[in-house]
Amino acid sequence: MSLRRLMVGDKVGVQYRSDGSFHVYINGEDQGIAAAHLPKQLFAVIDLYGSVESLSISNCETVYGTAIHPANIINCGLKNLTEQEKSIWNKESVCMEFHENHGHNVQLLNGGFSARRVSGYNKGLVICSKPLPRGQLFQVRIDKLHLKWTSSLRIGVTTQSPEKLHFTSSSLSLQKSAWVISEDSVFYGGIKVKSKYGPNLNSLHFCHFVGVMVDSENRLHLYVNGIDQGTAASDIPSVCYGLVDIYGQCEQVTIVNSNDDQNHRVEYKEKADKDTGIKEKKKKSQTLEKSVIKNCEYQNTCSRFLATLGLPVGYFVSEHNVCFCQACHKIRADEPYFKKGEPPREYALPFGWCRFALRLPNKVDPYNIQDWHIAFHGTRLGVVRRILDRGELLPPDGISLGSGGKSGKADNHSQQIILSPTVRYAGCTTFSPRHEFNDSKTLKILQARVAFQVYIRPGSYTSGPQRLGAVEPIDLHFSNSELEWLTKEQNSTVLHSLLVRLEGL
């Protein structure tokens, strides 16, 4: 019988027999030999785990052998736990501060709650003065960045106490038991054990929060702006200390304890964008609403590409630009799909693209398009300026699509404007072909694609199946039978933003 099936009032017991065998009893019934050839001196152990919150010792019987004395059960639970091990299971949170032993270039501030690197780009390792309790988030706020350096903050845990730790020039040089998250990878003892994990920590900006927590199952988690990024590592020892490597661009951090967290917690709210008329539920901090992630390399590269097009800056509203690269959208914890319009209709956020907001034409009243739907339209690079100058989309030029999901000759849809609720369809290479981009800064040759995000008036378009011949779902959230929106009505769309996607980084 599985112990998971036990109910309130059931009895479970263990017995060690003189032949060295170990038996389990459930409600007085022997379940047979569980183990054999055990040592002579044993102590019974009880683990109050999961849904079991309390129990009591009912009796201690001698059946075919020597019973274990109840005192040994009690003593076992207490005498084998060190004070440090007891503290990590304490449900009350522990106030964290940095230990006075730290890296050579570190200066502690605010009574040990803040740490600043005073010179160079490394030797900025700091460690908590107390072990990290299970289930408690050790979190820091980035107070200062210096963008002349590369890379940035690293965070993790180590089993070495701050009194005994040898402070190396970098956390990745710690040879003993240390789990460190750097960029988007996890390192153990300086060796990479997991890649493409969570957002790239190099993309974090001023006032962003990053932390680690070890859960009750000894798994290490990374938190970015209050969002759990999942398991980074497993089998973390019972006693470990939080560590931060104030490295590269990051120059100062402050510990955010549970009490302080009420004042500094990432706040989520619904924001109405008055300039563009969009109301999207955006999970983002107040800081993110005021500024873009300035050190996002993907966004910076997309901006350099946009500059090569020579488009008039008057078309754009730069303060509303949003990057949807993997790092940025994970930091904001964006939901992938939203509903907009009347009646409401879903659309997908353009993950993998960088969105450059466009200024609404003077003739368009933002309040008149608040109930319009959102859609995407892929296009060629050479058509972008003409679309911006005209302020409206153009029918596809040189695209031949068949019907029923098969490629073929152009049909009566050829003069209609093709849109989609997902950029996975509208931004594919059929509608948005790749163009070579030579990045002058990195000297890399990249492939660029462009598309538009637009408002479209409800009732002005028809929905139909995709015509790319795809067998598998193009976007798992939408049926392939409703991916293509067609319209030929004049003044049925309003430009919202220009999207850029780069490949080959």
Side-chain angles (χ1 to χ4, degrees):
M1 177 179 179
S2 172
L3 296 184
R4 293 183 179 181
R5 298 180 181 177
L6 295 180
M7 306 295 290
V8 174
D10 285 339
K11 296 180 181 180
V12 59
V14 294
Q15 181 194 48
Y16 171 69
R17 296 189 178 182
S18 57
D19 61 358
S21 63
F22 171 66
H23 290 242
V24 176
Y25 284 76
I26 295 179
N27 293 325
E29 294 185 9
D30 185 4
Q31 305 298 310
I33 298 177
H37 308 296
L38 299 182
K40 292 183 177 180
Q41 187 175 6
L42 296 175
F43 296 88
V45 176
I46 300 173
D47 188 1
L48 296 181
Y49 184 82
S51 60
V52 179
E53 294 186 346
S54 65
L55 55 80
S56 60
I57 299 175
S58 60
N59 55 28
C60 182
E61 300 175 353
T62 301
V63 184
Y64 304 117
T66 303
I68 302 174
H69 194 277
N72 287 337
I73 301 175
I74 299 172
N75 292 336
C76 174
L78 294 176
K79 71 179 183 181
N80 289 339
L81 289 178
T82 66
E83 290 302 316
Q84 285 184 339
E85 289 172 329
K86 291 177 187 177
S87 68
I88 67 169
W89 296 105
N90 189 352
K91 292 184 178 180
E92 295 183 3
S93 61
V94 175
C95 183
M96 291 293 176
E97 60 184 27
F98 293 124
H99 196 274
E100 58 185 7
N101 291 339
H102 49 69
H104 182 267
N105 289 338
V106 171
Q107 177 186 11
L108 297 184
L109 307 169
N110 302 325
F113 291 106
S114 299
R116 178 173 63 192
R117 193 182 71 246
V118 295
S119 63
Y121 66 90
N122 59 1
K123 298 182 180 179
L125 189 59
V126 286
I127 186 171
C128 287
S129 60
K130 301 175 183 177
L132 180 61
R134 288 298 191 264
Q136 179 172 331
L137 178 62
F138 166 60
Q139 182 173 235
V140 298
R141 181 185 68 238
I142 297 177
D143 294 336
K144 188 177 180 181
L145 293 171
H146 199 310
L147 301 184
K148 76 173 182 178
W149 304 112
T150 58
S151 297
S152 192
L153 167 146
R154 297 161 178 169
I155 193 167
V157 294
T158 178
T159 59
Q160 300 181 74
S161 68
E163 294 87 357
K164 299 179 181 179
L165 180 65
H166 172 64
F167 287 86
T168 58
S169 60
S170 163
S171 58
L172 299 185
S173 300
L174 295 174
Q175 297 298 316
K176 294 186 178 180
S177 298
W179 292 260
V180 178
I181 301 164
S182 174
E183 298 183 3
D184 63 348
S185 299
V186 182
F187 293 80
Y188 173 66
I191 299 174
K192 184 186 292 188
V193 294
K194 180 179 289 188
S195 58
K196 296 182 179 180
Y197 167 76
N200 193 323
L201 298 188
N202 293 349
S203 299
L204 298 181
H205 192 44
F206 169 72
C207 266
H208 281 182
F209 296 80
V210 59
V212 290
M213 183 191 73
V214 181
D215 65 21
S216 60
E217 297 184 6
N218 303 320
R219 298 173 301 192
L220 177 67
H221 293 247
L222 171 70
Y223 281 74
V224 176
N225 290 331
I227 305 301
D228 185 0
Q229 305 299 321
T231 301
S234 302
D235 300 322
I236 306 299
S238 59
V239 178
C240 61
Y241 299 80
L243 68 86
V244 178
D245 193 354
I246 309 173
Y247 187 84
Q249 295 179 358
C250 182
E251 290 195 340
Q252 182 172 320
V253 298
T254 294
I255 294 177
V256 180
N257 283 299
S258 57
N259 293 334
D260 303 326
D261 197 37
Q262 298 301 320
N263 298 323
H264 300 294
R265 185 181 298 276
V266 177
E267 297 179 359
Y268 302 113
K269 68 177 184 176
E270 183 175 314
K271 179 190 175 191
D273 189 333
K274 295 182 180 179
D275 289 331
T276 60
I278 302 178
K279 288 181 180 178
E280 293 179 351
K281 274 187 179 179
K282 298 178 180 178
K283 289 184 176 180
K284 52 169 65 178
S285 67
Q286 291 178 342
T287 302
L288 282 171
E289 292 173 1
K290 296 177 181 178
S291 63
V292 297
I293 303 173
K294 296 180 180 179
N295 57 336
C296 172
E297 189 54 39
Y298 184 79
Q299 184 175 22
N300 293 338
T301 307
C302 288
S303 297
R304 291 196 295 272
F305 166 74
L306 187 65
T308 65
L309 303 183
L311 302 174
V313 295
Y315 284 132
F316 297 92
V317 187
S318 59
E319 57 264 33
H320 296 300
N321 295 344
V322 182
C323 181
F324 290 98
C325 72
Q326 184 182 42
C328 289
H329 84 71
K330 280 189 174 182
I331 288 173
R332 291 190 304 266
D334 292 326
E335 295 290 344
Y337 302 97
F338 291 92
K339 287 184 178 181
K340 192 182 184 303
E342 188 58 45
R345 192 143 192 188
E346 286 187 304
Y347 69 96
L349 287 189
F351 287 171
W353 296 69
C354 190
R355 188 169 73 186
F356 297 92
L358 295 171
R359 197 177 304 278
L360 287 177
N362 293 331
K363 64 180 180 179
V364 176
D365 186 343
Y367 294 99
N368 291 338
I369 60 174
Q370 285 187 359
D371 293 332
W372 288 24
H373 296 149
I374 292 290
F376 301 93
H377 172 80
T379 190
R380 294 182 295 107
L381 194 59
V383 184
V384 170
R385 178 61 187 269
R386 277 197 292 154
I387 290 176
L388 291 176
D389 289 343
R390 293 185 56 173
E392 60 184 7
L393 299 177
L394 300 175
D397 181 16
I399 298 177
S400 295
L401 293 172
S403 59
K406 298 180 180 179
S407 300
K409 297 181 180 180
D411 56 13
N412 57 359
H413 297 317
S414 61
Q415 295 307 307
Q416 298 194 44
I417 295 173
I418 302 174
L419 305 104
S420 179
T422 173
V423 77
R424 289 179 179 270
Y425 182 72
C428 70
T429 54
T430 300
F431 305 114
S432 177
R434 294 185 177 93
H435 302 269
E436 190 174 280
F437 165 53
N438 294 285
D439 186 11
S440 59
K441 180 178 180 179
T442 63
L443 302 181
K444 290 183 178 180
I445 299 177
L446 308 175
Q447 300 296 318
R449 285 187 276 157
V450 292
F452 282 95
Q453 182 173 327
V454 302
Y455 304 99
I456 183 166
R457 188 174 69 248
S460 66
Y461 63 91
T462 59
S463 301
Q466 58 86 18
R467 291 182 290 152
L468 300 178
V471 178
E472 299 295 326
I474 295 174
D475 188 314
L476 293 176
H477 194 73
F478 298 100
S479 169
N480 277 3
S481 63
E482 298 180 342
L483 273 189
E484 190 169 284
W485 296 358
L486 298 173
T487 183
K488 57 183 178 181
E489 291 191 21
Q490 297 243 342
N491 302 319
S492 62
T493 61
V494 173
L495 301 181
H496 169 284
S497 53
L498 177 63
L499 304 177
V500 173
R501 181 182 178 92
L502 296 178
E503 298 167 351
L505 289 171

